[in-house]
Amino acid sequence: PASTAKIMTALVALESKKKGVPFTATSEVLAKVDASASEAGAIAGETYSFKDMLHMLMLPSGADAATMLAYSTYGGLDEFCRQMNRKAKELGMKNSSFDNPVGLDISDGYNKTYATAKDYGIMGCYAIQNKQLRKVLARKSYKVKTAGQTLRLKSTNAFFDEYACDSEDFTILGAKTGFTDDAGRTLLAFAENENKDTIVIAFFNAETRETQFGGVRD
């Protein structure tokens, strides 16, 4: 699933008892971030609000934000991943598994993160009902300002610009992208039709950006 798995990361964080708790990044926690993963730009010593971490997670797909959320809500990666799998079971995602909050897979040494499009469709239908997550997914950009740092985040969702949907029948609500060598280009997209019905598309293993966005849009 690559970084579309971060939708589950966001859900678990949003439904935790420590939702809303800020987190001060440490070098020890940031060292847990795999070198191959995309980062939002967190710096050790800076304190990030829960809202900021959610935007760092969703817009630029920050693995540093995913790791910080795991520590701020459940004290570490192991328990956080247990909660991800618990939620997956609760939702009926029978053929999906999580062993990290980033979406890294066997190509990066993580053997137990895998998915099916059907399962991620189920997850997407549940996730888009969360009002806070829905607001974050709808943002094109966001600014994080801490005591010693300003981050200007831009969404990886190309439906907002390069592949904008011109159809009057559909409105794009948001999307989460991903990429790993094994997954290819992945996309979990959310739209609304003229009847206000929500449409969720889980699309895995696209070879090109044109297929990932243009094919789904068209």
Side-chain angles (χ1 to χ4, degrees):
S3 285
T4 56
K6 291 189 177 88
I7 293 288
M8 181 63 86
T9 303
L11 280 174
V12 169
L14 281 163
E15 294 182 358
S16 73
K17 292 180 179 179
K18 290 189 176 180
K19 168 191 172 182
V21 175
F23 184 76
T24 301
T26 65
S27 55
E28 290 80 10
V29 168
L30 295 179
K32 302 287 185 181
V33 180
D34 194 285
S36 67
S38 59
E39 297 186 33
I43 296 175
E46 294 296 322
T47 299
Y48 300 93
S49 70
F50 185 81
K51 181 180 179 181
D52 286 346
M53 288 188 287
L54 274 182
H55 283 82
M56 292 164 71
L57 177 76
M58 289 286 100
L59 272 64
S61 202
D64 44 0
T67 305
M68 291 192 297
L69 283 167
Y71 274 84
S72 68
T73 55
Y74 283 99
L77 296 171
D78 290 344
E79 182 56 31
F80 193 84
C81 290
R82 276 193 284 272
Q83 294 299 323
M84 293 176 80
N85 286 303
R86 181 197 61 78
K87 191 64 184 181
K89 184 177 180 180
E90 177 187 310
L91 292 176
M93 298 168 64
K94 296 180 180 179
N95 296 295
S96 296
S97 174
F98 301 89
D99 65 352
N100 66 91
V102 176
L104 297 173
D105 52 43
I106 193 170
S107 60
D108 292 293
Y110 294 89
N111 300 320
K112 294 181 180 179
T113 287
Y114 53 83
T116 65
K118 179 179 179 180
D119 278 359
Y120 270 49
I122 292 170
M123 179 179 72
C125 287
Y126 179 83
I128 200 62
Q129 296 177 59
N130 186 292
K131 292 181 179 179
Q132 188 170 355
L133 180 56
R134 188 167 175 143
K135 286 182 180 179
V136 174
L137 287 168
R139 284 188 176 272
K140 299 178 182 179
S141 60
Y142 183 80
K143 184 167 72 173
V144 173
K145 189 171 180 61
T146 63
Q149 179 188 33
T150 298
L151 292 173
R152 290 177 173 82
L153 310 177
K154 184 178 183 297
S155 175
T156 61
N157 177 9
F159 289 130
F160 285 144
D161 40 54
E162 184 181 356
Y163 290 93
C165 183
D166 297 325
S167 172
E168 295 180 358
D169 298 328
F170 298 98
T171 301
I172 299 296
L173 301 176
K176 183 70 199 76
T177 63
F179 175 81
T180 68
D181 290 340
D182 277 7
R185 294 179 180 274
T186 65
L187 183 69
L188 190 58
F190 307 91
E192 191 174 75
N193 67 13
E194 56 187 355
N195 296 321
K196 301 298 182 181
D197 299 317
T198 301
I199 297 152
V200 177
I201 297 175
F203 185 48
F204 295 165
N205 199 30
E207 293 185 358
T208 66
R209 184 177 172 83
E210 171 60 33
T211 304
Q212 181 187 28
F213 284 101
V216 169
R217 177 196 61 189
D218 298 341

